[in-house]
Amino acid sequence: MPLSTQSQADIDQYILIASLDNARNLSNILKAISFRDHAIFNATQNGLKVTVEDSKCLQANAFIQADIFQEYIIKEDAVGFQVNLTVLLDCLTIFGGSTVPGVCTALRMCYNGYGYPLTLFLEEGGVVTVCKINTQESEEPIDFDFCSTNVTNKVILQSDSLKEAFSELDMTSEVLQITMSPSHPYFRLSTFGNSGNAHYDYPKDSDMMELFQCTKIQTNRYKMSLLKPSTKALALSCKVSVRTDSRGFLSLQYLVRNDDGQICFVEYYCCPDEEVEEE
């Protein structure tokens, strides 16, 4: 492969190198969080964490573990930068993002440190394209202070059941109301749209429910406009964990399998909508 012909001197200059035989394994997971132009990249020995935020109310994180990559070299404890996600996705799919079996775009992603661009070497069918994307100093992501010790309720669902719910609920509603309870209705999604109120209930012993841990009755509302970006991750996922903490903050963690069957995670944090009065 032409990418492998890069000289050792070329490789040595970078503080971060991440290579994939199939660039779709990165582009698909990044599409799941692409609702704003800019993304914060944080690389550690464990892998890449990519963060996108919206007005301090919504945060999405994509986690790509180091062992997903065929080559992953990091020469510092942590490497961080900010990059235009829209441009990055355009570059990753520069060969058209082919889904033809056996035809893959190989990727080597390199970063030289503060002030340098993110360099992508993309190869398909012997043709190599080099893209250099300007980077900025990374901002500190918002700390939603969502920790497992404060989680009051948690359910794990098969994603198909949540997709079905979203297809049946009224998306003209400004909010999605989530009720979690140790007793009936257990786990309920509610909307209040143009066609009236709608509820979608999940019994705790449903085949679609893999885990049900609820310690108290909790009803919170979330702006639908904030939750809609997470449907991109839902479409790619096979399971979703829904958690709420004592403040009503929502965590949606999606388990996503890539083209090679490896597992990545996408997590959305959303703050509750406190302006809506109870019905």
Side-chain angles (χ1 to χ4, degrees):
M1 187 180 77
L3 293 190
S4 64
T5 63
Q6 281 183 276
S7 71
Q8 192 62 42
D10 289 340
I11 293 171
D12 286 345
Q13 68 178 304
Y14 300 113
I15 62 170
L16 174 68
I17 299 173
S19 300
L20 286 166
D21 290 341
N22 184 358
R24 275 170 51 87
N25 288 341
L26 179 61
S27 61
N28 280 352
I29 202 88
L30 293 182
K31 285 175 185 175
I33 60 169
S34 62
F35 57 90
R36 281 290 180 267
D37 279 343
H38 286 88
I40 301 164
F41 275 67
N42 279 299
T44 65
Q45 299 294 337
N46 295 325
L48 284 180
K49 176 184 176 185
V50 187
T51 303
V52 179
E53 298 180 324
D54 183 8
S55 60
K56 299 184 179 180
C57 298
L58 179 70
Q59 182 184 91
N61 296 292
F63 302 92
I64 305 107
Q65 292 89 330
D67 58 8
I68 297 288
F69 297 93
Q70 278 69 54
E71 175 187 42
Y72 187 82
I73 300 168
I74 182 169
K75 298 176 183 174
E76 298 179 0
D77 290 339
V79 174
F81 54 89
Q82 188 168 298
V83 72
N84 187 305
L85 184 57
T86 307
V87 172
L88 174 58
L89 282 169
D90 284 346
C91 292
L92 289 172
T93 55
I94 202 163
F95 287 109
S98 174
T99 56
V100 178
V103 178
C104 294
T105 301
L107 164 72
R108 175 174 278 153
M109 184 166 60
C110 305
Y111 180 62
N112 208 358
Y114 178 77
Y116 285 91
L118 179 66
T119 304
L120 308 181
F121 298 91
L122 296 135
E123 185 266 337
E124 185 176 305
V127 178
V128 178
T129 298
V130 181
C131 303
K132 294 189 176 184
I133 307 170
N134 290 337
T135 60
Q136 299 169 303
E137 187 173 2
S138 63
E139 299 174 4
E140 192 67 31
I142 300 162
D143 183 3
F144 274 74
D145 194 26
F146 195 101
C147 56
S148 55
T149 53
N150 291 333
V151 169
T152 50
N153 296 319
K154 175 181 179 179
V155 300
I156 296 178
L157 300 162
Q158 292 183 27
S159 296
D160 284 346
S161 64
L162 203 55
K163 294 173 193 173
E164 184 180 332
F166 273 93
S167 69
E168 294 189 14
L169 292 168
D170 189 345
M171 289 298 151
T172 64
S173 176
E174 291 188 0
V175 295
L176 175 70
Q177 181 172 288
I178 299 177
T179 301
M180 300 170 86
S181 167
S183 56
H184 184 79
Y186 302 112
F187 183 60
R188 169 177 284 180
L189 304 176
S190 305
T191 53
F192 313 94
N194 295 339
S195 55
N197 298 351
H199 304 290
Y200 197 99
D201 292 354
Y202 293 83
K204 69 174 181 177
D205 56 356
S206 163
D207 291 341
M208 292 293 182
M209 186 86 67
E210 295 200 5
L211 179 74
F212 181 85
Q213 291 179 344
C214 289
T215 60
K216 69 172 189 176
I217 298 173
Q218 206 174 12
T219 299
N220 295 293
R221 291 184 175 187
Y222 306 92
K223 279 191 165 63
M224 194 70 82
S225 59
L226 293 176
L227 291 178
K228 277 181 179 174
S230 72
T231 57
K232 292 181 178 181
L234 177 62
L236 291 172
S237 67
C238 50
K239 294 181 187 179
V240 57
S241 163
V242 183
R243 298 181 296 163
T244 52
D245 69 7
S246 53
R247 306 164 300 167
F249 279 65
L250 176 68
S251 159
L252 297 169
Q253 190 175 61
Y254 298 93
L255 187 153
V256 178
R257 288 190 189 277
N258 66 22
D259 286 356
D260 298 323
Q262 299 162 308
I263 291 172
C264 299
F265 291 95
V266 174
E267 187 162 40
Y268 275 79
Y269 293 118
C270 185
C271 64
D273 183 23
E274 299 174 334
E275 298 174 6
V276 180
E277 297 178 5
E278 289 295 325
E279 291 286 315

